Amino acid sequence: MNTSHDLVIVLDFGAQYSQLIARRVRELGVYSQIVPFNTSAEEIRKMAPKGIIFSGGPASVSQEGSPRPDKEVFSLGIPVLGICYGLQVMSLLLGGSVTCPEKKEYGIANISIRGKGELLKDIPDHSQVWMSHGDSVSAIPEGFVTTADTPNCPYTVIENSERKFYGVQFHPEVVHSVDGQKMLSNFVLGICKATADWNMGNFINEQVERIREEVGDGQVLCGLSGGVDSSVAAVLIHRAIGDRLVCVFVNNGMLRKHEAENVLELFGKHFNMRLQYADAEEAFLTALKGKTDPEDKRKTIGKLFVDTFYNEARKCGDITHLAQGTLYPDIVESKSPFGGPTSTIKSHHNVGGLPEDLKWKLLEPLKELFKDEVRELGRELGLPEELVDRHPFPGPGLGVRCIGEVTKERLDTLRDVDAIFIEEIRKAGLYGEIWQALADLLPVKSVGVQGDERTYREVCTLRAVTSQDAMTADWYRMPYDVMQRCASRICNEVKGVNRVLYDITSKPPGTIEWE
């Protein structure tokens, strides 16, 4: 937990927007942390937040067993802002009432401001907000006043300025609430008097000190993949402890074109890191020979990676810590009372399956950050833009994009296809609009005419999607001229391909990756 900055905590009642609330607060320059709704008042007091935000949530407050905060939270003397479900549960616990009216509100509404209030300071009348609720407050608690309403919601904004309790029925954190960020600013900076000093420059300095203190005279091992998270973590740790960081880079033969050379050049020569390089292409290809089942391929690649990583680690001397690029959303999801098992880290964020007797301590310098903050940190640390803004790339690499059997020849073909696709997207200025762009080689061949010859070669498919979190994704409407250039270049420049397809499947029903 961050202790050197003012803190605003978000009590999570299971809302899909809890992380967005925390992000919006951080955008104001104030550190924000998400904690479960049932965190005790005593624990919150020890955290010493400047303010508390109750998130929305999917439950109805009238439901038996619906989540409730510790009522003593209201006795801490800390300002509270309730959002949607947070407003309703606060009203109920403080003596108001909540009902489920016939008319519900979903989507855009405009608030009518009914009185001067701290939360709505400098907010224009009829400001657009985003509603998403079934239940509504039907009677406000004693000491509260209404400062805004809508035709379907008489208590849209309420406040008790004496006790510093505030509630809104809409979602100020979403972009559809036009003045929502200003309202959050009024609460965080105006009402809570939080100091806006959360920034990447300060974060780097603090983390460098924290890493030095945590590691002491020890030695840190980091699995470097060339992806954003591991790269940023490695550079940050290296700034703190220099040569006592050892990076292991495993080339499984399924990397993108020139990726191994780029990683060795950037981290080994430019950043001058101790880099243990394992060229294990032959071992991986041998292990994958004859395998076509996607799950079998993934497990084979994963197990061999762990074995290779462990063998390289043994050459590095005494290791005290293992660095991982775990991000804040992974910590939140693993500890949520609504979600997965406590303190389970997502498998794609760590080196899973390492022997338990290694007894390495975990070092997670990015665990307070969201993905876009990690990218910002990478820029601050001097990493090149092409790496910092890189699309997600699967751990098994091109092995799960080479549909069917994985061979050296097919991987080389796919590498060339992938390089052309990414190059053309970047040249067209579209890379930043796309969540993920990928090429797959299909286990089918087609007849073609290239030059004066009939050919019988492989088929590739190009795919690009837009997404917020990869849980759902929509296919990207690629301009025709870009698709035409990609197809033309691939068929002319890549010897093994004579047909190019474009995948227009969304998720669901499809997944982003084919395997």
Side-chain angles (χ1 to χ4, degrees):
M1 186 187 74
N2 183 285
T3 56
S4 58
H5 296 279
D6 283 349
L7 168 69
V8 170
I9 64 171
V10 178
L11 239 58
D12 180 18
F13 289 90
Q16 59 177 321
Y17 296 132
S18 290
Q19 292 188 25
L20 186 53
I21 299 169
R23 281 293 297 117
R24 293 288 181 249
V25 174
R26 292 186 185 193
E27 285 167 10
L28 296 169
V30 177
Y31 183 65
S32 183
Q33 183 175 349
I34 302 168
V35 299
F37 71 89
N38 53 6
T39 303
S40 72
E42 179 57 25
E43 287 178 80
I44 291 172
R45 186 188 63 77
K46 288 177 182 173
M47 295 169 76
K50 285 285 189 175
I52 302 168
I53 299 177
F54 288 4
S55 81
S60 166
V61 289
S62 56
Q63 252 179 305
E64 191 178 340
S66 58
R68 299 279 192 273
D70 182 345
K71 200 172 177 182
E72 290 303 309
V73 166
F74 299 111
S75 303
L76 295 174
I78 299 170
V80 177
L81 170 64
I83 294 176
C84 198
Y85 180 91
L87 158 70
Q88 296 159 14
V89 76
M90 178 172 69
S91 298
L92 202 62
L93 291 176
L94 294 176
S97 56
V98 177
T99 58
C100 185
E102 283 185 26
K103 284 190 176 179
K104 299 170 173 46
E105 278 189 305
Y106 298 99
I108 288 169
N110 296 92
I111 59 171
S112 297
I113 296 178
R114 299 302 182 195
K116 289 184 178 178
E118 296 172 280
L119 195 65
L120 298 181
K121 185 182 177 185
D122 299 327
I123 303 298
D125 198 14
H126 306 301
S127 178
Q128 177 184 297
V129 298
W130 181 261
M131 294 283 197
S132 180
H133 67 102
D135 290 348
S136 289
V137 174
S138 53
I140 58 177
E142 189 179 337
F144 280 77
V145 295
T146 304
T147 53
D149 59 24
T150 67
N152 291 334
C153 184
Y155 305 112
T156 303
V157 182
I158 66 171
E159 51 182 80
N160 180 331
S161 57
E162 188 179 333
R163 298 186 70 186
K164 304 291 183 191
F165 296 158
Y166 306 81
V168 296
Q169 185 53 73
F170 52 87
H171 288 275
E173 69 274 21
V174 303
V175 292
H176 307 294
S177 293
V178 174
D179 298 298
Q181 187 69 345
K182 173 59 180 168
M183 295 176 201
L184 289 173
S185 174
N186 286 342
F187 178 71
V188 172
L189 303 179
I191 294 163
C192 300
K193 308 292 186 195
T195 303
D197 61 358
W198 166 256
N199 61 58
M200 279 304 138
N202 288 342
F203 178 83
I204 291 170
N205 294 334
E206 289 166 4
Q207 281 298 320
V208 164
E209 289 305 313
R210 192 182 297 187
I211 291 164
R212 286 173 182 165
E213 187 178 332
E214 191 171 333
V215 174
D217 295 328
Q219 189 167 235
V220 178
L221 182 70
C222 179
L224 193 60
S225 69
V228 180
D229 302 340
S230 69
S231 298
V232 173
V235 175
L236 180 59
I237 296 166
H238 185 255
R239 180 171 289 195
I241 61 170
D243 280 351
R244 286 186 292 115
L245 169 71
V246 188
C247 291
V248 171
F249 175 50
V250 177
N251 182 355
N252 61 9
M254 285 161 277
L255 304 175
R256 285 175 159 170
K257 195 169 184 178
H258 304 311
E259 186 157 14
E261 299 93 316
N262 291 341
V263 168
L264 293 172
E265 176 70 29
L266 179 64
F267 296 98
K269 294 183 180 176
H270 178 72
F271 284 107
N272 200 28
M273 291 184 186
R274 283 175 66 195
L275 195 56
Q276 192 78 24
Y277 175 56
D279 187 352
E281 179 182 41
E282 195 174 325
F284 277 86
L285 289 174
T286 301
L288 287 167
K289 192 169 184 178
K291 296 184 187 294
T292 58
D293 177 73
E295 194 59 26
D296 193 13
K297 285 162 62 176
R298 278 183 176 271
K299 284 180 178 176
T300 300
I301 294 168
K303 183 180 183 307
L304 187 52
F305 177 85
V306 168
D307 292 344
T308 308
F309 182 87
Y310 180 46
N311 287 336
E312 291 301 316
R314 293 175 65 186
K315 303 172 186 175
C316 299
D318 291 334
I319 299 295
T320 57
H321 292 74
L322 175 66
Q324 292 188 166
T326 312
L327 305 190
Y328 191 55
D330 305 307
I331 301 288
V332 172
E333 287 166 18
S334 68
K335 293 189 176 180
S336 168
F338 304 98
T342 301
S343 68
T344 297
I345 300 167
K346 284 184 176 178
S347 60
H348 66 273
H349 275 286
N350 64 20
V351 184
L354 285 170
E356 290 180 11
D357 61 0
L358 291 180
K359 294 184 171 53
W360 292 333
K361 293 175 185 172
L362 212 52
L363 184 65
E364 298 171 301
L366 310 182
K367 66 182 180 183
E368 294 179 356
L369 303 182
F370 290 93
K371 188 72 173 188
D372 57 332
E373 292 173 324
V374 173
R375 295 188 197 279
E376 186 187 340
L377 175 60
R379 293 184 187 99
E380 197 85 23
L381 288 166
L383 282 162
E385 191 65 28
E386 276 200 10
L387 190 150
V388 169
D389 74 352
R390 186 182 182 188
H391 292 168
F393 190 65
L398 298 180
V400 292
R401 295 180 180 174
C402 197
I403 314 302
E405 186 176 6
V406 179
T407 66
K408 175 76 163 65
E409 184 183 16
R410 296 190 78 218
L411 285 168
D412 286 342
T413 298
L414 181 54
R415 264 186 274 272
D416 289 339
V417 170
D418 174 83
I420 290 170
F421 186 34
I422 298 301
E423 184 184 323
E424 287 298 330
I425 289 172
R426 285 195 182 277
K427 275 165 58 177
L430 304 176
Y431 192 84
E433 295 180 18
I434 296 168
W435 169 268
Q436 201 166 351
L438 57 130
D440 290 271
L441 200 60
L442 305 184
V444 292
K445 291 188 175 182
S446 77
V447 174
V449 179
Q450 291 171 296
D452 294 326
E453 296 180 357
R454 284 171 64 85
T455 59
Y456 187 56
R457 292 176 181 163
E458 294 201 274
V459 177
C460 75
T461 180
L462 308 180
R463 178 157 172 72
V465 298
T466 56
S467 180
Q468 293 296 314
D469 53 13
M471 299 299 289
T472 61
D474 191 19
W475 64 279
Y476 181 73
R477 274 62 173 173
M478 188 73 67
Y480 290 159
D481 60 327
V482 178
M483 286 197 281
Q484 189 275 325
R485 282 198 299 274
C486 289
S488 176
R489 282 193 62 193
I490 289 166
C491 290
N492 285 326
E493 298 175 30
V494 183
K495 186 179 177 182
V497 174
N498 67 359
R499 193 174 297 266
V500 179
L501 312 178
Y502 189 70
D503 184 347
I504 61 168
T505 313
S506 293
K507 176 187 179 181
T511 52
I512 294 177
E513 298 284 351
W514 276 53
E515 289 191 343

